[in-house]
Amino acid sequence: AGYAPTASTAAGTSVVERAPRRRVEPPPPPVRAVAEGWRAPLTEQELAKLAVALVERERPRPRFVLPPAHTQRMGTVRLLRDQSLVLRDSEVVLLAEALASRTSVEIAVASGPRTTVKHVITPVDHAAGNLKANCAPRGEHREFLVSHIRSVRAVTGV
């Protein structure tokens, strides 16, 4: 109840004393930031530039129209990239270019857990995750799973 334990006088009577109250000092009120302390206020020119930049960012931009061949090639690149998680982007682009221009490339295809077989091919078609191609030595027509292709390299002179 806020009273200290009782003490007794020389005659034996109890003496009741109130204990002094001790309280934590309240923290000082927060210091408000002065405009110069945080950032200088913007000038009229700076406000105008900021407003123009915000409006320009929200304005719809005309889309650049790609030629149909380039659009088709980009679609092929996206498909090949999605179907093969191991090929680097440069290899995917090289394979898409070879498919579009019917040029030869060398591919390494997984044939087991840790083995690959190299083929020099001329890609002909790409559908449903399969790459249809003509193999260089005998000209036979083969299909390769894009997900099994481990590397693509440019070939010269074939």
Side-chain angles (χ1 to χ4, degrees):
Y3 294 101
T6 59
S8 43
T9 63
T13 59
S14 303
V15 178
V16 178
E17 297 177 338
R18 187 171 284 279
R21 295 182 92 184
R22 293 185 294 175
R23 297 191 67 125
V24 177
E25 291 294 321
V31 178
R32 296 207 180 243
V34 179
E36 291 103 33
W38 290 93
R39 182 187 303 172
L42 296 175
T43 64
E44 291 294 324
Q45 286 180 329
E46 292 171 330
L47 282 174
K49 283 172 82 174
L50 180 62
V52 168
L54 289 173
V55 168
E56 285 297 320
R57 187 167 55 172
E58 295 299 320
R59 180 177 296 162
R61 301 199 183 281
R63 296 186 72 188
F64 177 72
V65 180
L66 296 171
H70 187 70
T71 305
Q72 182 181 6
R73 193 170 299 139
M74 291 306 294
T76 304
V77 167
R78 285 190 190 106
L79 278 173
L80 290 171
R81 184 183 59 213
D82 291 344
Q83 293 169 354
S84 176
L85 301 176
V86 295
L87 292 179
R88 295 188 308 260
D89 288 342
S90 60
E91 293 174 318
V92 171
V93 170
L94 181 64
L95 188 58
E97 287 290 328
L99 184 60
S101 63
R102 304 278 193 257
T103 57
S104 296
V105 291
E106 181 182 80
I107 61 171
V109 181
S111 66
R114 291 191 174 101
T115 59
T116 59
V117 176
K118 292 185 178 182
H119 299 278
V120 176
I121 63 165
T122 303
V124 176
D125 192 20
H126 170 249
N130 291 326
L131 183 68
K132 296 177 184 176
N134 293 325
C135 286
R138 288 181 262 168
E140 61 187 21
H141 186 74
R142 295 195 51 188
E143 289 188 16
F144 301 96
L145 284 172
V146 175
S147 61
H148 288 190
I149 298 174
R150 297 296 178 244
S151 69
V152 179
R153 195 175 63 111
V155 175
T156 56
V158 176

